[in-house]
Amino acid sequence: LEGAGARVGLDFAPEALAGCRSRGLARLVRGSVGSLPFADASFDAAISMSVIYHEWVRDPAEAVRELHRVLAPGGVLLLDVPGYPSLTSPHDVAVMTARRFTPPQLRALVEAAGFEVLRVTHWNSLLFPAVWAARRLGLVASGRDFETTEAQPGGRNGVLDALMRAEAALLRRVALPIGVSIHCVARKPALAAGPGRA
């Protein structure tokens, strides 16, 4: 997001913030998405990538209401979550997944918070067949023994990067019917009354 104006990163985990600092990111805040430490209408955009699925988020509806609160009228929310409850596997245990969503569930959650949903689509679609097969056949790490490694250029990461770029180009034209993840774009109405208010 370089050049996109003033940016603030937030995470609850000190380890995540330390990782961001090691990459040169400076404007970081420790906090919970369920109680954001920002004033009302502070931001023009909010990005929540694989957050509200997590065990540490006790109430996803509360989290989305908080995102609504800190956005200025007309502000945009980009929200990503894991999809397909049927894909639940030991990997989910390892990354502390509390919930997976369907597109109708995500749309309802976002609309209930007072947002106007502009788009809901699956993504990570090109990888869906491989992920589905691996999880159905049990070819994933078990429990909390799952480990991640630093992404390296080339090799498998180069192939995955090329797939993601191809899918991003496709997503500009069409919504995708299946995928490992779900992406929602929503807007806080310019004259937002807020959830539950007339």
Side-chain angles (χ1 to χ4, degrees):
L1 297 174
E2 278 188 43
R7 298 168 305 282
V8 179
L10 176 137
D11 205 290
F12 188 72
E15 300 86 352
L17 297 173
C20 290
R21 286 189 190 97
S22 74
R23 295 179 181 197
L25 301 173
R27 297 193 68 194
L28 302 169
V29 175
R30 184 168 189 246
S32 169
V33 70
S35 181
L36 293 169
F38 306 113
D40 294 358
S42 295
F43 299 99
D44 294 321
I47 302 172
S48 174
M49 303 292 290
S50 296
V51 173
I52 67 169
Y53 81 97
H54 199 273
E55 286 179 8
W56 291 354
V57 179
R58 293 192 178 125
D59 185 354
E62 176 185 58
V64 178
R65 286 193 301 269
E66 274 291 277
L67 291 163
H68 185 276
R69 179 185 67 77
V70 301
L71 279 171
V76 174
L77 171 67
L78 304 177
L79 180 64
D80 277 43
V81 295
Y84 285 104
S86 62
L87 288 179
T88 300
S89 75
H91 174 84
D92 291 281
V93 174
V95 298
M96 301 172 74
T97 300
R99 58 196 68 85
R100 287 178 162 272
F101 295 83
T102 65
Q105 287 171 334
L106 187 60
R107 177 182 288 276
L109 186 70
V110 171
E111 287 177 342
F115 285 100
E116 171 196 0
V117 173
L118 305 178
R119 186 177 199 206
V120 175
T121 181
H122 285 282
W123 73 283
N124 276 334
S125 299
L126 297 176
L127 295 176
F128 181 81
V131 170
W132 183 89
R135 293 192 179 186
R136 287 285 134 296
L137 297 172
L139 304 177
V140 291
S142 62
R144 297 198 187 270
D145 296 332
F146 177 80
E147 296 180 10
T148 59
T149 56
E150 187 72 22
Q152 300 295 326
R156 283 184 303 195
N157 288 315
V159 171
L160 292 173
D161 184 60
L163 285 173
M164 293 284 85
R165 289 178 186 277
E167 187 166 305
L170 186 59
L171 274 170
R172 289 186 184 98
R173 297 176 178 85
V174 296
L176 300 175
I178 61 167
V180 178
S181 305
I182 304 169
H183 179 69
C184 176
V185 181
R187 179 182 292 129
K188 182 174 180 175
L191 299 174
R197 296 180 192 155

